[in-house]
Amino acid sequence: MADKKIPYKIYLEESEMPRAWYNLRADMKNKPAPLLNPATMKPMTAEDLSVVFCEELVKQELDETNAYYEIPEEIRDFYKMYRPSPLVRAYCLEEKLQTPAKIYYKFEGNNTSGSHKLNSAIAQAYYAKKQGLVGVTTETGAGQWGTALSMACSYFGLDCKVYMVKCSYEQKPHRREVMRTYGASVTPSPSMETSVGRKILAEHPGTTGSLGCAISEAVEKATNTEGYRYVLGSVLNQVMLHQSVIGLETKIALDKYDIKPDIIIGCAGGGSNLGGLIAPFMGEKIRGEADYRIIAVEPSSCPSLTRGVYAYDYCDTGMVCPLAKMYTLGSGFIPAANHAGGLRYHGMSSTLSQLYDDKLMEAVSVAQTEVFAAAEQFARVEGILPAPESSHAIKIAIDEAMRCKETGEEKTIVFGLTGTGYFDMYAYEKFHDGKMENYVPTDEELAVALAKLPKVEG
Ligand SMILES: *Cc1c(COP(=O)(O)O)cnc(C)c1O
């Protein structure tokens, strides 16, 4: 059945690795809407943004004309330690499914942080160091971003303060210890350390926290501490720019064997891995050079694309951050604590939101028990224990492969396998014990947070 001329793993030589990141916005006909200053409701200027972010990253954030950014040599050298990441032909999964589809996955879990997040963490730490900063603050949900950033900061000798969503802090004590191994300080959020944390605790005593809330705390800490800036691991344009290395490597590897994907699938939390994976392919699609089906997969418990609205919203619960126009569930939306699979952010990257609104991309949502069933199926044949987040993409890749089995079509499916799930065994345990529940918010519940969207023209 399978065409064995294509190797199980397509590697690239160091000399074939991308030397520049690709900025998809340069090729977009409808540009994503600008970030707005919450005080004035006017577009954020570089000056506004540089209070919070490093200067070079502000430049990248606002740039919608330059298609390529040379990757600094220090970052390329760091990338060489764990990149190129393998592009794997899932022969074993194809065999198990008895599908005529050809399945490939780009595996980003082959570094200590266990996910794609290191691709942007090392870039952000590099620019912070270059600017002469003492350290950075950030938030982390499931812990992968905090881990990646801790590694990157220790590499460049920067201090790193992480606000970790409280329910993850409690469910994943080992994640916390990995971050501390790299010298980061980790605080459960909401905390009493910041005024926004104290306010949220007063309003919602006993809350298990949310990403939006941890972001507010990290931003407050950065802007109140000399020599610090805030960094974010997803959602922002700069993060998607760095993550384009995933898609660029994928494309180079596929081109080596003349492989043209029909369907490209990725999980979507804030949108960084999906945005990075699809970037060069979406560029071709927008320029009319090729066509692909591109599918974003999100959890049914936090369905920003499939059930949210496209509107300006705050990026954080404390409403201290700029507003972004995005598909959102409302910044006050807090996903159920029993949702184990990550991807808990209330909004979606403004770039992906615009592409979705322009119908250049599809989106589906899946329930967490289906996700874990797919994860287990994959783990048993492909020899990788996938992260729950990544398994959203696995679920839809398997569904598409099974559709090919019915129709006899030999489609080529590429999906992003963003990371490993060794710190998610508590969730796997719940699944194995039959104790995992699918929590899907009702329309009424969604309406509560959506009613609080800020009123903004446009
Ligand atoms: C953070 C994370 C995601 C989701 O974030 P995106 O910005 O949407 O990519 C997915 N998978 C893993 C393993 C992650 O750590």
Side-chain angles (χ1 to χ4, degrees):
M1 174 181 299
D3 174 10
K4 296 276 163 139
K5 270 182 293 191
I6 291 166
Y8 276 73
K9 283 196 185 121
I10 307 181
Y11 274 109
L12 303 181
E13 302 294 330
E14 275 181 15
S15 61
E16 295 174 301
M17 286 171 64
R19 299 179 66 87
W21 292 303
Y22 170 55
N23 178 17
L24 175 61
R25 280 174 303 155
D27 283 327
M28 285 172 69
K29 296 193 177 99
N30 297 327
K31 307 289 185 199
L35 293 170
L36 298 185
N37 186 321
T40 62
M41 293 294 175
K42 297 249 159 55
M44 290 291 285
T45 62
E47 204 183 342
D48 295 335
L49 282 169
S50 58
V51 179
V52 180
F53 298 115
C54 306
E55 279 152 32
E56 184 62 28
L57 295 168
V58 168
K59 209 170 104 197
Q60 296 177 1
E61 191 60 31
L62 296 176
D63 185 349
E64 46 185 46
T65 48
N66 293 304
Y68 289 96
Y69 268 83
E70 189 180 320
I71 307 173
E73 194 181 354
E74 290 90 333
I75 300 176
R76 268 190 286 132
D77 286 346
F78 186 88
Y79 278 171
K80 283 178 199 160
M81 219 174 12
Y82 69 100
R83 308 199 68 82
S85 70
L87 180 71
V88 183
R89 172 75 182 266
Y91 282 119
C92 301
L93 180 64
E94 290 170 22
E95 183 69 28
K96 187 80 174 183
L97 299 176
Q98 288 290 299
T99 173
K102 301 178 170 76
I103 309 174
Y104 295 85
Y105 58 90
K106 179 73 168 162
F107 180 48
E108 291 290 323
N110 60 338
N111 69 77
T112 304
S113 82
S115 81
H116 65 287
K117 300 247 173 31
L118 192 56
N119 302 331
S120 184
I122 194 66
Q124 298 198 43
Y126 168 81
Y127 292 118
K129 185 70 187 179
K130 212 171 141 211
Q131 193 175 323
L133 296 179
V134 180
V136 293
T137 70
T138 198
E139 77 298 327
T140 196
Q144 287 96 325
W145 167 246
T147 306
L149 187 69
S150 307
M151 281 180 72
C153 284
S154 68
Y155 184 75
F156 284 120
L158 287 164
D159 183 41
C160 180
K161 297 188 194 303
V162 181
Y163 290 86
M164 186 169 187
V165 177
K166 193 181 276 167
C167 64
S168 301
Y169 184 91
E170 283 159 6
Q171 280 178 13
K172 299 184 172 185
H174 294 140
R175 255 297 168 211
R176 183 178 75 213
E177 290 318 311
V178 178
M179 287 185 252
R180 290 176 62 195
T181 302
Y182 288 104
S185 66
V186 188
T187 307
S189 165
S191 77
M192 297 297 282
E193 274 183 18
T194 63
S195 61
V196 63
R198 289 189 291 273
K199 182 162 168 265
I200 290 166
L201 281 172
E203 282 169 16
H204 307 277
T207 176
T208 51
S210 70
L211 267 182
C213 164
I215 293 172
S216 301
E217 291 208 83
V219 170
E220 182 184 319
K221 189 76 180 181
T223 48
N224 288 349
T225 316
E226 183 70 29
Y228 281 75
R229 289 293 184 281
Y230 166 71
V231 296
L232 180 60
S234 182
V235 184
L236 295 175
N237 298 322
Q238 52 188 278
V239 183
M240 275 193 47
L241 175 72
H242 308 145
Q243 294 298 357
S244 69
V245 71
I246 304 173
L248 293 164
E249 280 182 10
T250 303
K251 180 127 177 50
I252 294 166
L254 292 175
D255 284 350
K256 262 177 124 167
Y257 289 88
D258 255 335
I259 304 161
K260 283 261 168 263
D262 297 295
I263 310 175
I264 303 168
I265 301 168
C267 63
S272 74
N273 87 83
L274 178 66
L277 173 67
I278 67 175
F281 302 97
M282 186 60 90
E284 288 185 312
K285 185 164 167 158
I286 291 171
R287 298 190 302 268
E289 296 162 10
D291 198 14
Y292 306 100
R293 257 187 87 197
I294 293 172
I295 310 176
V297 191
E298 57 183 16
S300 53
S301 57
C302 193
S304 52
L305 287 171
T306 51
R307 291 177 70 199
V309 299
Y310 192 31
Y312 266 106
D313 192 11
Y314 291 96
C315 294
D316 63 325
T317 315
M319 305 181 191
V320 297
C321 290
L323 290 86
K325 189 174 178 194
M326 57 186 174
Y327 275 86
T328 180
L329 296 166
S331 63
F333 179 80
I334 296 188
N338 76 4
H339 167 66
L343 313 176
R344 298 169 59 94
Y345 189 59
H346 67 272
M348 184 57 60
S349 114
S350 61
T351 299
L352 290 188
S353 292
Q354 185 63 46
L355 294 169
Y356 180 61
D357 205 56
D358 287 339
K359 311 230 166 358
L360 290 161
M361 181 178 99
E362 304 165 32
V364 290
S365 74
V366 288
Q368 62 176 347
T369 50
E370 299 177 298
V371 167
F372 278 83
E376 201 171 75
Q377 203 177 358
F378 181 86
R380 289 179 185 184
V381 287
E382 286 292 324
I384 290 171
L385 194 143
E389 292 91 337
S390 325
S391 306
H392 288 71
I394 297 177
K395 160 71 183 148
I396 294 303
I398 291 178
D399 284 359
E400 290 295 334
M402 294 312 282
R403 194 161 315 161
C404 288
K405 186 172 172 176
E406 279 166 31
T407 61
E409 286 172 291
E410 293 182 26
K411 289 202 171 138
T412 297
I413 299 169
V414 175
F415 72 90
L417 189 73
T418 49
T420 49
Y422 300 109
F423 288 104
D424 299 284
M425 297 326 290
Y426 176 72
Y428 271 93
E429 179 185 350
K430 266 180 137 180
F431 175 70
H432 295 143
D433 290 345
K435 290 187 181 145
M436 179 170 278
E437 285 166 29
N438 291 321
Y439 181 79
V440 180
T442 62
D443 289 342
E444 289 70 31
E445 282 169 296
L446 291 183
V448 173
L450 286 174
K452 295 196 185 126
L453 284 181
K455 306 266 175 292
V456 182
E457 294 302 308

